[in-house]
Amino acid sequence: MTALPRVVGVTALLALTMCACSTSGAGAGEPKLSSVPTPGHLDPAQITTPLDAYLPSPEENYTLKKARVLLVNACMRKLGYEQNPQPLTRFSGKPYLAHGEFLVVPVDQAERYGYKQPSDDREGGGQKAGAGAESRYAKNVTDAQGSLLTGKVPTFDGKKVPAGGCEGEALRIVTKGAATAEEVTMPDGSAAGSGKGGFGEGYAEMVVSSARGKAMAEVRDDSRFQDVTERWSDCMEKQGYDYDSPDSAWNDKKWSDATRAGKQEIAVAVADMGCKTKVNYLGVGIAVETAYEKQVIEESAEVLEDAKDKTARWIQNANQAIEAR
């Protein structure tokens, strides 16, 4: 079953103080900005943009995952193979697809961890534990178990193995009445193939990720975003740091290879967030991204709506499968 890896972030409503800002100076063909927010935070968990409307909630994603795990394990038990069942990790509350595009973190986090993920984050620790359980499961999958999961053998211990194995059977149950094609054209024009059986868990995130990537390619070339990036760079230079973009600061090799943040990384991260606040980097970024996402939504309405509708049907099927167990 096709799935995207989880990423850090919590979907929440974005409380913004809106200001009436001029959109003059936009280059030819650039969309007008209805307004530019002045966020009172640098928290990616509080960022929302139009494409978020096409994503399932963390709770809905967990429902899909839970149904898949329960169905696969039930199928394996029915075949008489009960060793190494798939683990169901606890609900983290985090979405599969978070807003990390503007490289912001709360200032108090930057002061402690620089650009690193907080090591003592309880939810993050839960994610690590879940990743560990899934890693151990994958490591312990035998050839026989793998054959039953994927359907490489027609029978096992005198019992017929479902087409596509137990994973294929779980996918068919969850996507019943709303299966996808085995290859789908993404909003960015690329073709995504699922292999046999179509897509499953993570499909909406994949479509939205493609759409957001297309929008962000335009954002980076937008004159207003380039202007605020230059102002951010000038602000950093006044504090003694030579970076042409937030990406170059965030991914500086001096600390990108380190496991813990040192004093220099923390100092740069704090200056980075301070300059982003000073020039309203996040507010401009959200406004420009919103404008381009609206264009992408118009251009790719069919595939986005299809992914949203199919996911809604899958959640219904998943709930029914869970209730039946």
Side-chain angles (χ1 to χ4, degrees):
M1 184 170 295
T2 303
L4 296 180
R6 284 193 175 276
V7 290
V8 177
V10 182
T11 302
L13 292 178
L14 177 62
L16 298 175
T17 302
M18 306 302 292
C19 65
C21 302
S22 171
T23 60
S24 62
E30 293 179 349
K32 291 183 179 181
L33 310 183
S34 57
S35 59
V36 177
T38 306
H41 66 84
L42 291 173
D43 185 359
Q46 296 187 55
I47 299 173
T48 60
T49 58
L51 280 168
D52 292 327
Y54 295 89
L55 294 171
S57 69
E59 292 81 6
E60 290 170 334
N61 264 324
Y62 190 72
T63 295
L64 292 172
K65 179 177 183 178
K66 183 177 182 179
R68 170 172 55 84
V69 170
L70 292 177
L71 288 167
V72 167
N73 288 341
C75 172
M76 294 293 286
R77 289 194 301 271
K78 187 176 179 180
L79 291 173
Y81 194 101
E82 299 190 28
Q83 301 96 312
N84 191 35
Q86 287 192 4
L88 178 62
T89 55
R90 69 181 179 89
F91 176 59
S92 71
K94 297 181 182 295
Y96 278 22
L97 187 64
H99 282 281
E101 58 266 42
F102 295 120
L103 304 179
V104 294
V105 295
V107 175
D108 59 347
Q109 179 178 321
E111 290 173 340
R112 294 185 65 187
Y113 305 105
Y115 293 116
K116 303 292 187 292
Q117 180 65 24
S119 59
D120 61 350
D121 187 305
R122 292 181 64 185
E123 289 187 337
Q127 279 197 320
K128 289 180 181 178
E134 291 175 349
S135 177
R136 289 190 295 274
Y137 161 76
K139 183 178 180 180
N140 292 325
V141 171
T142 63
D143 289 342
Q145 185 177 9
S147 295
L148 298 180
L149 289 169
T150 58
K152 290 183 179 179
V153 294
T155 60
F156 178 78
D157 196 24
K159 303 179 182 68
K160 184 178 180 181
V161 176
C166 287
E167 290 179 343
E169 181 176 79
L171 178 62
R172 285 191 295 275
I173 292 172
V174 171
T175 63
K176 184 178 180 180
T180 71
E182 292 182 9
E183 184 171 289
V184 179
T185 300
M186 294 288 105
D188 64 2
S190 64
S194 68
K196 294 181 179 180
F199 294 93
E201 179 187 345
Y203 177 59
E205 284 80 4
M206 181 174 65
V207 174
V208 169
S209 180
S210 170
R212 181 160 292 150
K214 182 178 180 180
M216 287 304 299
E218 299 287 348
V219 170
R220 286 187 285 271
D221 290 335
D222 187 276
S223 63
R224 295 154 296 190
F225 187 67
Q226 290 179 342
D227 175 71
V228 77
T229 300
E230 289 176 7
R231 288 190 283 118
W232 172 89
S233 181
D234 291 342
C235 176
M236 291 291 284
E237 186 176 6
K238 290 177 182 178
Q239 298 186 62
Y241 304 116
D242 183 19
Y243 294 105
D244 60 0
S245 70
D247 181 73
S248 62
W250 190 286
N251 295 305
D252 192 318
K253 188 169 178 59
K254 289 193 294 288
W255 43 75
S256 62
D257 295 334
T259 56
R260 288 182 174 272
K263 291 183 179 180
Q264 186 180 12
E265 177 183 342
I266 289 173
V268 172
V270 170
D272 179 356
M273 300 309 135
C275 285
K276 281 175 176 156
T277 299
K278 184 175 181 179
V279 304
N280 196 24
Y281 180 87
L282 181 56
V284 173
I286 290 171
V288 178
E289 180 181 5
T290 294
Y292 284 106
E293 283 195 4
K294 287 179 178 177
Q295 288 187 345
V296 173
I297 288 170
E298 289 183 5
E299 297 164 356
S300 304
E302 184 175 352
V303 65
L304 285 164
E305 290 291 347
D306 183 67
K308 183 177 181 179
D309 293 345
K310 280 183 167 54
T311 301
R313 177 62 181 273
W314 299 349
I315 293 164
Q316 292 178 357
N317 292 343
N319 277 316
Q320 291 175 3
I322 292 169
E323 291 171 3
R325 300 285 156 206

